[in-house]
Amino acid sequence: MSRGVRILLIVVVVLGVLFVIVDRVAVRFAESEAADRVRSAEGLAKTPDVSINGFPFLTQVAGGELDDVEVGIDSYQAATGKAGQTIRIEDLKAHMKGVSFSGDFSSATAARATGTATIPYAELMKTAKSEPTEVAPGVTARVVGLSDGGNGKIKVAVEGRIPAFGIERTVSVLSSVAVVKGRIEVRADSLPKLAAAAIADDRLRAIVDFQQVIDQLPGDIALDSVRAAPNGVEINVKGSHVKLAG
């Protein structure tokens, strides 16, 4: 190998290393800028994690579109459709594809997005009927707890009371959880036996069954599916033309 060829190869290697370094510095800067934009757009208390995947980054920038962007939000307060009431969603991870953006990253829109998150049982409990409600003459019932029932089911603990006789009984029922018309719906697979007195099914279902509305998720992504898990209900979300910022 001639001296000139060796020098040329060395130059090519050095330039390649420099390009990689510049590319990685540029992507870290872009990730930081994008994270700040998302925090501002969504009113988050903590800056989210933003990862821009794919290499090289600079050629993606030149093309005006990022192939793959991941956004992680530790805690997000979603609207519930009721004035002043929110529900906390934890560990929201969104996967964005085909993200077009402005030059200063002040606006960015993903062609499509999917994601996962968890709603703790304590948060979902806010929607359940936790106040004693009369279900038959002299008999009240209320939901006192939610937990993982296994196999994608929620265990709903229901307390029945007959105050006049000092009788109190707590039973558990397994409930299915699903996304129905954009809402999380919890519905008992079978109704509990709370007292000797006859209780109409519709009155009991009014206690053990409930729905949770979740509005205004980041970028207007929407609920897709849900299942019970050890720490809460796990939700899947998806959307198209999802705004990350701007």
Side-chain angles (χ1 to χ4, degrees), residues 107-193:
S107 64
T109 303
R112 58 193 182 280
T114 57
T116 60
T118 298
I119 301 175
Y121 286 117
E123 288 294 302
L124 193 61
M125 183 68 188
K126 294 177 181 178
T127 305
K129 301 291 193 309
S130 58
E131 294 298 321
T133 302
E134 189 171 77
V135 292
V139 181
T140 65
R142 66 178 183 136
V143 175
V144 294
L146 302 175
S147 60
D148 180 25
N151 297 318
K153 303 285 186 178
I154 294 179
K155 183 189 291 184
V156 180
V158 185
E159 177 190 86
R161 299 185 65 194
I162 306 178
F165 296 95
I167 296 175
E168 182 178 304
R169 182 187 183 195
T170 300
V171 298
S172 295
V173 296
L174 290 178
S175 295
S176 297
V177 57
V179 175
V180 180
K181 296 181 179 178
R183 299 177 299 234
I184 294 176
E185 182 177 277
V186 178
R187 183 177 175 82
D189 295 347
S190 60
L191 295 174
K193 182 71 173 176

Side-chain angles (χ1 to χ4, degrees), residues 191-209:
L191 295 174
K193 182 71 173 176
L194 292 176
I199 302 175
D201 285 358
D202 58 344
R203 287 198 174 191
L204 203 47
R205 281 212 173 271
I207 303 298
V208 298
D209 295 348

Side-chain angles (χ1 to χ4, degrees), residues 96-120:
M96 314 285 185
K97 293 287 191 178
V99 180
S100 57
F101 56 91
S102 60
D104 60 356
F105 293 97
S106 60
S107 64
T109 303
R112 58 193 182 280
T114 57
T116 60
T118 298
I119 301 175

Side-chain angles (χ1 to χ4, degrees), residues 28-62:
R28 295 295 175 261
F29 175 78
E31 288 171 343
S32 178
E33 287 293 305
D36 287 340
R37 298 292 185 181
V38 173
R39 177 179 180 176
S40 177
E42 299 297 338
L44 302 175
K46 181 181 176 182
T47 302
D49 295 323
V50 174
S51 297
I52 300 174
N53 303 318
F55 179 83
F57 166 70
L58 293 175
T59 58
Q60 295 182 63
V61 171

